[in-house]
């Protein structure tokens, strides 16, 4: 089913004066003109700014104590260290949550404190701090004197009050949007307390835990503990949580990927082995191979296996955990595909559901752990915000939403609060809970909430092209500089290039009935290319104009570059 018109191809143009200025400076003698074009297009127009972007350094990291309440958190943690208090780390069940717990566990162990880790059950206890989750946590580990909530807690007013009433201090380290009333706790470390213009608002929780660990080490140095050795965990959580890869995130992920390539963590090594990564790791490997497997267990049941994998030290045990996560991932994919087919059938039978500015679907029998992924797929297909809700037999629904650039789902939710049991998140992704009886009213309110934000063509599908190239441009000098643009991800998207009038060597090689391996020719130049999920039986007539990405690959230590076709059309 074709849901929306084919995307309009839009070739972006940077400021010509900015490109000229870079070309006339020292960088102009170092970099291919195409790379100067890309730098200017991404706003790195000044020489110093461009160099910082190309060469992110850990030595440039800022003072962790500028984060709200960091000094108080450090003081309370050292009190727990000195008095050998019982400490529980209570985290979320996604990659950011489990990497945050793992990093803080390693840090506190280095100070001689052995904290207990706890993850809530997604189905029974829901996201974040909950009274049910806290009760089970205390049954399992006993009542601690200090509970550190990671990747959750900013909106947990009642839970923080309950902990305080029962004599448990609480430190919250979180990056989610603050609520009008904040929880009463020993310390709330959240950069967004100072608004979106404050420092470090782009960090996810594992990035904040890195800052917390850095603050601890600045206060009380440890010669036997090197925080840089754990940057693989920071890279994993940061990339998987889809936060912008800018400023310090860029430095942390760039260095973290290097650490991940030769990781000392036996769990991550086992996970790399099972996904076929032999050393060299890029951000998209986390996004599409490693991250989904760590997330899979938490989506369907409990994330305990993911946490056990990251914390274990026995290679044999790590391989067992990695195999179990791989199995969970395959099960998760089957559940996702079933929910997606049912959602598409719903839209086919009731086309009016796709006609509004926001698509809101709900059904009994859908698994709440996968509706966010399906919402993301439908958002890309229909190019409009999508919310998917899974209702249980009692009509209680839990759901997730994903948005398009320029439309804030959090802002849209503000007009629906009276219909929700719970709801919040980020502009691009939210989680909600509501009763099935409110679904129709919620759908109407969300459509209105999205419609009120539309100022231009936010819902029009576009394929943004960064630059026009020829196959001859893809030479070693270009590749050497292009690698310095990495890592790609949120906030630094992988460039998409336009290459005109190329001839594919049809029929090429079809893999798994949907992927196409081709050779592209332009004049005398030929380059191999892959086209995933290609319209093999409905391809445009050659020659083609192609939208392509250029990706670095490694196999047994040998690095190569390959073209990845995003779209193709008959040449203009």
């Amino acid at each position: 089913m074709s849901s929306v018109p084919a995307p309009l191809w839009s070739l972006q143009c940077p400021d010509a004066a900015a490109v000229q200025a870079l070309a006339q400076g020292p960088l102009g003698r170092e970099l291919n003109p195409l790379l100067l074009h890309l730098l200017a297009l991404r706003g790195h127009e000044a020489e110093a700014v461009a160099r910082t972007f190309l060469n992110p350094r850990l030595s440039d990291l800022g003072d962790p104590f500028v984060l709200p309440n960091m000094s108080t958190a450090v003081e309370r943690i050292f009190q727990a260290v000195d008095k050998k208090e019982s400490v529980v780390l209570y985290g979320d069940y996604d990659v950011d949550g489990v990497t945050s717990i793992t990093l803080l566990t390693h840090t506190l162990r280095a100070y001689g404190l052995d904290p207990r880790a706890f993850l809530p059950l997604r189905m029974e206890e829901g996201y974040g701090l909950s009274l049910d989750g806290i009760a089970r946590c205390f049954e399992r580990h006993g009542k601690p004197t200090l509970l550190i909530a990671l990747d959750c807690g900013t909106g947990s007013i009642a839970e923080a009050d309950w902990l305080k009433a029962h004599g448990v201090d609480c430190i919250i380290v979180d990056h989610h949007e603050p609520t009008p009333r904040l929880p009463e706790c020993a310390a709330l470390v959240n950069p967004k307390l100072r608004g979106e213009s404050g420092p470090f608002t782009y960090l996810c929780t594992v990035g904040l835990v890195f800052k917390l660990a850095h603050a601890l080490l600045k206060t009380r140095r440890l010669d036997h503990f090197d925080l840089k050795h754990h940057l693989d965990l920071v890279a994993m959580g940061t990339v998987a949580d889809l936060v912008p890869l800018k400023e310090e995130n860029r430095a942390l992920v760039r260095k973290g990927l290097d650490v991940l390539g030769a990781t000392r963590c036996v769990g991550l090594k086992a996970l790399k082995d099972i996904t076929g990564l032999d050393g060299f790791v890029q951000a998209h490997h986390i996004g599409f191979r490693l991250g989904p497997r760590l997330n899979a267990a938490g989506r369907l049941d409990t994330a305990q296996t993911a946490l056990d994998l990251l914390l274990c030290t026995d290679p044999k045990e790590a391989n067992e955990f990695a195999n179990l996560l791989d199995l969970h991932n395959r099960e998760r994919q089957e559940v996702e595909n079933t929910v997606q087919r049912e959602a598409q059938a719903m839209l086919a039978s009731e086309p009016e559901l796709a006609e509004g500015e926001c698509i809101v679907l709900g059904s009994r029998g859908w698994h709440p752990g996968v509706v966010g992924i399906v919402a993301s797929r439908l958002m890309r297909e229909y190019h409009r915000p999508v919310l998917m809700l899974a209702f249980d037999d009692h009509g209680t629904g839990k759901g997730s939403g994903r948005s398009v650039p320029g439309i804030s789902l959090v802002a849209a939710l503000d007009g629906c609060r009276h219909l929700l049991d719970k709801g919040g998140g980020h502009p691009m992704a939210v989680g909600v809970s509501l009763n099935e009886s409110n679904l129709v009213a919620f759908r109407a309110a969300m459509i209105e909430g999205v419609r009120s934000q539309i100022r231009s063509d936010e819902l029009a599908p576009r394929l943004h092209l960064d630059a026009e190239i020829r196959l001859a441009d893809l030479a070693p000098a270009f590749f050497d500089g292009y690698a310095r643009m990495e890592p790609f991800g949120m906030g630094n998207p992988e460039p998409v290039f336009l290459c005109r009038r190329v001839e594919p060597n049809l029929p090429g090689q079809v893999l798994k009935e949907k992927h196409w391996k081709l050779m592209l020719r332009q004049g005398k130049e030929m380059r191999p290319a892959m086209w995933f999920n290609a319209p093999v039986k409905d391809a445009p007539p050659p020659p083609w104009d192609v939208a392509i990405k250029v990706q670095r690959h490694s196999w047994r230590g040998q690095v190569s570059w390959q073209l990845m076709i995003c779209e193709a059309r008959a040449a203009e």
Side-chain angles (χ1 to χ4, degrees):
M1 175 176 59
S2 179
S3 312
V4 292
L8 175 68
W9 289 27
S10 175
L11 185 59
Q12 302 180 83
C13 295
D15 181 78
V19 177
Q20 183 67 17
L22 286 172
Q24 290 176 346
L27 273 178
R29 295 187 291 273
E30 295 177 27
L31 297 178
N32 181 290
L34 268 174
L35 299 173
L36 302 180
H37 173 105
L38 293 176
L39 287 170
L41 197 62
R42 283 155 199 253
H44 311 302
E45 299 176 349
E47 173 93 14
V49 173
R51 284 199 178 277
T52 298
F53 173 79
L54 293 170
N55 305 298
R57 300 183 303 177
L58 295 179
S59 58
D60 292 334
L61 297 182
D63 183 1
F65 286 100
V66 304
L67 281 161
N69 308 308
M70 180 63 85
S71 296
T72 306
V74 167
E75 182 180 346
R76 182 62 186 87
I77 287 173
F78 278 133
Q79 177 186 321
V81 169
D82 294 337
K83 294 183 178 181
K84 301 293 183 184
E85 295 183 39
S86 58
V87 177
V88 164
L89 308 183
Y90 187 118
D92 189 22
Y93 35 63
D94 65 1
V95 180
D96 189 21
V98 296
T99 53
S100 295
I101 289 177
T102 305
L103 178 57
L104 191 52
T105 297
H106 289 317
T107 304
L108 295 181
R109 283 178 178 172
Y111 282 105
L113 194 65
D114 191 18
R116 299 291 180 260
F118 180 83
L119 295 167
L121 299 173
R122 185 173 196 138
M123 299 304 112
E124 292 88 346
E125 295 154 358
Y127 161 77
L129 281 174
S130 68
L131 294 179
D132 288 342
I134 293 171
R136 188 170 64 86
C137 174
F138 288 8
E139 287 176 8
R140 182 176 179 183
H141 298 305
K143 187 176 81 169
T145 54
L146 175 63
L147 183 146
I148 304 178
L150 301 172
D151 201 28
C152 59
T154 296
S156 302
I157 313 298
E159 291 80 7
D161 289 345
W162 190 93
L163 289 169
K164 186 176 181 179
H166 287 78
V168 179
D169 283 347
C170 179
I171 293 173
I172 296 170
V173 184
D174 190 18
H175 70 119
H176 292 94
E177 300 292 334
T179 51
R181 181 189 165 197
L182 297 175
E184 293 187 24
C185 57
L188 171 54
V189 181
N190 186 330
K192 294 178 181 175
L193 293 180
R194 293 178 180 158
E196 289 298 330
S197 60
F200 305 129
T201 54
Y202 50 82
L203 292 175
C204 63
T205 301
V206 75
L208 294 173
V209 171
F210 176 88
K211 302 298 281 190
L212 173 60
H214 188 198
L216 291 167
L217 291 165
K218 283 173 72 76
T219 304
R220 192 180 296 185
R221 182 177 173 180
L222 292 175
D223 292 330
H224 64 280
F225 181 74
D226 191 340
L227 190 55
K228 293 193 294 293
H229 292 162
H230 301 281
L231 281 171
D232 45 7
L233 295 169
V234 182
M236 287 287 299
T238 300
V239 173
D241 216 51
L242 300 177
V243 289
L245 299 187
K246 65 179 186 179
E247 299 180 36
E248 292 200 5
N249 270 349
R250 182 166 168 77
L252 293 172
V253 172
R254 169 79 74 86
K255 302 302 180 184
L257 289 172
D258 291 341
V259 175
L260 186 55
T263 183
R264 302 181 180 195
C265 173
V266 296
L268 287 177
K269 186 178 185 307
L271 199 62
K272 285 174 56 185
D273 288 344
I274 208 164
T275 57
L277 293 176
D278 63 336
F280 174 79
V281 180
Q282 290 181 287
H284 66 85
H285 292 139
I286 295 176
F288 294 101
R289 294 202 211 176
L290 303 175
R293 284 169 172 81
L294 281 180
N295 262 333
R299 289 193 180 279
L300 298 183
D301 185 18
T302 171
Q304 190 62 46
T305 306
L307 183 60
D308 290 341
L309 173 81
L310 295 183
L311 287 173
C312 79
T313 56
D314 178 18
K316 182 179 178 181
E317 191 177 37
N319 287 332
E320 292 173 357
F321 287 138
N323 277 289
L324 185 55
L325 287 173
D326 192 54
L327 175 61
H328 285 320
N329 192 52
R330 290 196 295 273
E331 293 171 348
R332 186 262 309 166
Q333 290 172 331
E334 292 175 4
V335 174
E336 278 173 25
N337 292 335
T338 298
V339 172
Q340 183 172 351
R341 285 194 298 269
E342 292 179 3
Q344 288 172 323
M346 191 180 295
L347 290 168
S349 62
E350 300 179 67
E352 65 275 10
L353 293 176
E355 292 172 358
E357 288 80 358
C358 180
I359 296 174
V360 179
L361 304 177
S363 178
R364 297 194 178 196
W366 286 353
H367 197 294
V370 303
V371 290
I373 296 175
V374 178
S376 182
R377 291 179 184 172
L378 294 180
M379 176 273 295
R380 290 192 295 270
E381 181 179 352
Y382 287 82
H383 201 78
R384 62 199 55 226
V386 176
L387 287 97
M388 299 273 293
L389 294 128
F391 294 102
D392 63 19
D393 292 339
H394 305 290
T396 300
K398 295 179 181 178
S400 294
R402 299 294 184 269
S403 192
V404 297
I407 302 294
S408 170
L409 283 180
V410 171
L413 283 181
D414 287 341
C416 311
R417 296 290 175 186
H418 61 292
L419 299 168
L420 298 175
D421 297 328
K422 196 174 181 181
H426 312 295
M428 299 292 287
V430 294
V432 296
S433 299
L434 76 160
N435 191 274
E436 193 174 22
S437 61
N438 290 329
L439 177 61
V440 174
F442 176 65
R443 178 183 293 124
M446 282 301 296
I447 289 173
E448 181 56 37
V450 170
R451 183 184 296 144
S452 68
Q453 298 182 55
I454 296 174
R455 299 291 179 267
S456 180
D457 56 356
E458 287 87 353
L459 303 187
R462 288 180 180 273
L463 178 60
H464 294 286
L465 301 162
D466 293 84
E468 183 171 347
I469 63 171
R470 295 187 58 79
L471 293 183
D473 295 326
L474 302 176
F478 169 79
F479 292 138
D480 291 343
Y482 190 68
R484 297 169 67 184
M485 300 283 294
E486 299 171 353
F488 297 119
M490 292 295 291
N492 183 40
E494 200 171 353
V496 181
F497 299 104
L498 169 62
C499 193
R500 298 185 191 270
R501 300 196 68 82
V502 298
E503 291 280 356
N505 68 324
L506 300 179
Q509 182 181 359
V510 179
L511 308 173
K512 297 183 179 180
E513 299 183 355
K514 58 181 179 178
H515 307 315
W516 220 350
K517 189 174 184 180
L518 299 162
M519 189 68 70
L520 300 181
R521 178 172 57 82
Q522 187 184 53
K524 296 181 180 180
E525 299 291 333
M526 297 183 69
R527 298 286 187 279
M530 278 294 300
W531 191 353
F532 290 104
N533 297 307
V536 177
K537 297 179 180 178
D538 191 28
W544 294 346
D545 290 344
V546 291
I548 57 173
K549 294 179 179 180
V550 181
Q551 290 186 348
R552 200 158 45 123
H553 293 268
S554 174
W555 175 249
R556 295 179 178 175
Q558 296 296 313
V559 176
S560 62
W561 293 84
Q562 188 175 54
L563 306 186
M564 312 299 292
I565 299 175
C566 306
E567 299 279 350
R569 65 185 185 188
E572 292 184 345

